[in-house]
């Protein structure tokens, strides 16, 4: 394994000798600037290089749409071990995330540690998935994730065996599925069932189906009414095909939290600066596990912190906002390297909001396309 990949893996495993997030992020930026030509062109158009980038917050963000239009990979095609596609539900184009051997190894490490850290109740329990297997959809990051987590059964498209298998359960399980896969299960149920006590539910989004839309509040009520699930053991997973790491929330609050090897910012779409406490903005993720592509991603997802807009500047932000020194420790509120520990998703940005994000998406994207041409 590459030396930097080894250091990142050690950081994910919380080995003290691995270094700080800032140090590793800047080293990874230098690697990706050198190896990923389209990303280097974007950085050069912004005047940012590894030589003049002092902190992880200064690393240029690549728009998530770039994964649809460009090959963002540090290695040639013959060294790519896995390629994950986006679902393509909102566009005819699909994102492609290329992983080499080192990136795939970090992906396995990060998703396993992220999962057991976020959902400790899942440890030691069998995993069933309401989704296609990796054999059925080899380019689905979600199917690959469940395969790597050791899922025993995959059920898809109203599998006739699912109801019988659920009825025969005697031990608690972890049941993964998209929101509409669960709706499909509920439509199949002739009457409510009760899963063994301690069973965990994990939904992975997807509340809009082809024929109807389901409210999140209704879905979580049905978990209890139709499956007998404990509301405290119902979780939500948020991820992207463009990212190696995932975020989770527990219960109906839907407050997403990520692992320590990811930094997340909420950026004002008009200024590109950090949104204020409680204000809405676009999510930007810096993921050390994105080893082979680009670690800094500007999403099209809107979110806000869980703090109210009236949060005082000198107040206590231990759980929701954090600031880092060069050694990665929390410090006073005057430090410029701020990130959020948790956020509430508010849906996809509208086209007008994306156009308004001139600093972090539109202008950068246009410069990139101009330079490439």
């Amino acid at each position: 394994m590459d030396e930097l990949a080894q250091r990142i893996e050690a950081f994910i495993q919380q080995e003290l000798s691995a270094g700080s997030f800032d140090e590793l992020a800047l080293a990874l930026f230098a690697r990706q600037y050198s190896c990923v030509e389209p990303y280097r062109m974007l950085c050069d158009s912004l005047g940012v290089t590894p030589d003049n980038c002092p902190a992880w917050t200064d690393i240029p963000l690549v728009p998530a749409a770039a994964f649809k239009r460009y090959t963002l990979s540090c290695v040639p095609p013959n060294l790519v071990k896995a390629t994950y596609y986006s679902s393509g539900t909102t566009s005819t184009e699909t994102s492609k995330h290329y992983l080499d051997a080192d990136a795939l190894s970090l992906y396995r490490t990060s998703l396993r540690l992220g999962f057991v850290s976020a959902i400790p109740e899942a440890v030691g329990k069998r995993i069933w998935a309401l989704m296609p297997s990796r054999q059925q959809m080899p380019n689905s990051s979600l199917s690959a994730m469940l395969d790597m987590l050791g899922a025993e059964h995959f059920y898809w498209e109203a599998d006739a065996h699912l109801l019988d298998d659920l009825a025969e359960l005697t031990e608690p399980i972890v049941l993964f599925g998209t929101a509409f896969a669960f709706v499909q299960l509920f439509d199949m149920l002739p009457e409510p069932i009760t899963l063994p006590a301690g069973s965990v539910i994990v939904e992975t989004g997807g509340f809009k189906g082809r024929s109807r839309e389901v409210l999140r509040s209704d879905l979580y009520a049905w978990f209890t009414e139709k499956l007998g699930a404990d509301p405290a053991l119902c979780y939500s997973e948020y991820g992207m095909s463009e990212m190696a790491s995932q975020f989770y929330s527990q219960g109906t609050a839907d407050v997403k939290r990520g692992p320590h090897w990811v930094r997340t910012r909420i950026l004002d779409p008009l200024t590109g600066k950090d949104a204020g406490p409680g204000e809405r903005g676009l999510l930007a993720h810096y993921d050390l596990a994105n080893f082979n592509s680009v670690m800094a991603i500007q999403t099209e997802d809107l979110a806000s912190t869980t703090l109210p807009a009236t949060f005082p500047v000198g107040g206590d932000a231990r759980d929701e906002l954090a600031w880092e020194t060069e050694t990665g420790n929390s410090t006073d509120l005057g430090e410029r390297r701020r990130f959020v520990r948790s956020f509430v998703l508010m849906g996809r940005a509208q086209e007008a909001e994306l156009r308004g994000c001139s600093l972090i998406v539109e202008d950068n994207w246009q410069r990139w396309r101009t330079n490439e041409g």
Side-chain angles (χ1 to χ4, degrees):
M1 178 181 279
D2 178 272
E3 186 269 339
L4 177 57
Q6 292 181 48
R7 292 170 58 201
I8 292 173
E9 184 174 60
F11 184 84
I12 290 173
Q13 295 170 338
Q14 296 187 299
E15 296 181 15
L16 297 179
S17 61
S20 69
F21 180 90
D22 206 35
E23 177 186 356
L24 293 171
L26 291 175
L28 185 55
F29 168 51
R31 179 181 190 271
Q32 294 172 346
Y33 175 89
S34 174
C35 298
V36 184
E37 183 178 5
Y39 183 53
R40 182 171 63 253
M41 294 171 65
L42 171 64
C43 295
D44 288 345
S45 74
L46 299 173
V48 181
T49 73
D51 293 332
N52 63 14
C53 184
W56 66 266
T57 48
D58 300 301
I59 296 173
L61 292 154
V62 64
F67 284 81
K68 297 178 180 179
R69 306 181 189 184
Y70 297 90
T71 299
L72 303 178
S73 175
C74 286
V75 301
N78 63 302
L79 294 181
V80 171
K81 300 300 182 182
T83 304
Y84 298 134
Y85 298 169
S86 62
S87 61
T89 55
T90 60
S91 170
T92 56
E93 296 179 298
T94 59
S95 294
K96 296 179 179 64
H97 190 188
Y98 302 97
L99 285 75
D100 66 351
D102 288 342
L104 197 57
S105 178
L106 284 176
Y107 180 52
R108 290 191 186 96
T109 300
S110 65
L111 75 86
R112 288 169 180 166
L113 290 181
F115 177 65
V116 299
S117 175
I119 311 179
E121 301 92 343
V123 175
K125 293 174 181 173
R126 294 180 296 159
I127 299 175
W128 291 9
L130 307 182
M131 61 189 65
S133 67
R134 185 156 67 166
Q135 289 69 36
Q136 292 171 301
M137 293 190 67
N139 296 117
S140 166
S141 59
L142 194 55
S143 295
M145 171 185 167
L146 269 295
D147 182 79
M148 292 178 190
L149 288 176
E152 290 186 0
H153 298 290
F154 289 84
Y155 301 90
W156 190 237
E157 296 185 341
D159 192 311
H161 300 290
L162 175 59
L163 297 184
D164 291 338
D165 291 347
L166 288 173
E168 294 174 0
L169 278 173
T170 58
E171 296 179 350
I173 62 167
V174 180
L175 189 60
F176 260 90
T178 65
F180 253 82
F182 280 108
V183 171
Q184 191 175 46
L185 167 61
F186 298 150
D187 288 344
M188 292 168 54
L189 284 174
E191 58 184 20
I193 62 174
T194 301
L195 295 177
S199 291
V200 176
I201 302 293
V202 185
E203 58 88 0
T204 63
F207 289 85
K208 290 185 178 181
R210 293 184 178 89
S211 60
R212 70 190 202 263
E213 181 176 354
V214 61
L215 296 177
R216 189 174 187 279
S217 57
D218 289 341
L219 182 68
Y220 276 68
W222 293 337
F223 287 152
T224 299
E225 295 171 9
K226 298 180 181 295
L227 298 178
D230 182 344
L233 296 180
C234 296
Y235 287 84
S236 174
E237 181 267 348
Y238 160 69
M240 305 167 56
S241 64
E242 301 87 352
M243 275 185 68
S245 301
Q246 298 80 36
F247 302 79
Y248 293 90
S249 61
Q250 182 179 16
T252 57
D254 199 25
V255 178
K256 298 288 190 295
R257 289 181 171 84
H260 67 269
W261 57 89
V262 176
R263 295 290 183 267
T264 295
R265 300 167 69 194
I266 299 177
L267 303 179
D268 186 303
L270 295 178
T271 66
K273 306 297 183 182
D274 291 288
E279 296 179 353
R280 187 175 74 167
L282 290 169
L283 284 173
H285 302 300
Y286 302 74
D287 185 2
L288 290 181
N290 261 33
F291 188 73
N292 186 60
S293 55
V294 178
M295 68 159 295
I297 301 174
Q298 174 62 63
T299 78
E300 298 176 359
D301 294 325
L302 287 169
S304 71
T305 66
T306 55
L307 296 171
T310 55
F311 179 75
V313 173
D316 184 353
R318 290 171 301 184
D319 292 333
E320 314 306 342
L321 299 177
W323 287 258
E324 287 189 337
T325 65
E326 290 183 358
T327 57
N329 299 319
S330 295
T331 184
D332 62 83
L333 299 187
E335 178 60 52
R336 65 194 288 270
R337 273 164 263 177
R338 188 177 76 178
F339 64 97
V340 298
R341 296 190 187 279
S342 64
F343 55 86
V344 176
L345 280 173
M346 304 180 72
R348 284 296 184 99
Q350 299 298 313
E351 190 66 26
E353 290 171 300
L354 292 175
R355 284 199 300 269
C357 191
S358 60
L359 179 64
I360 50 178
V361 177
E362 188 70 13
D363 284 355
N364 296 355
W365 182 251
Q366 292 300 330
R367 289 193 197 103
W368 187 0
R369 295 180 67 182
T370 300
N371 286 355
E372 194 213 32

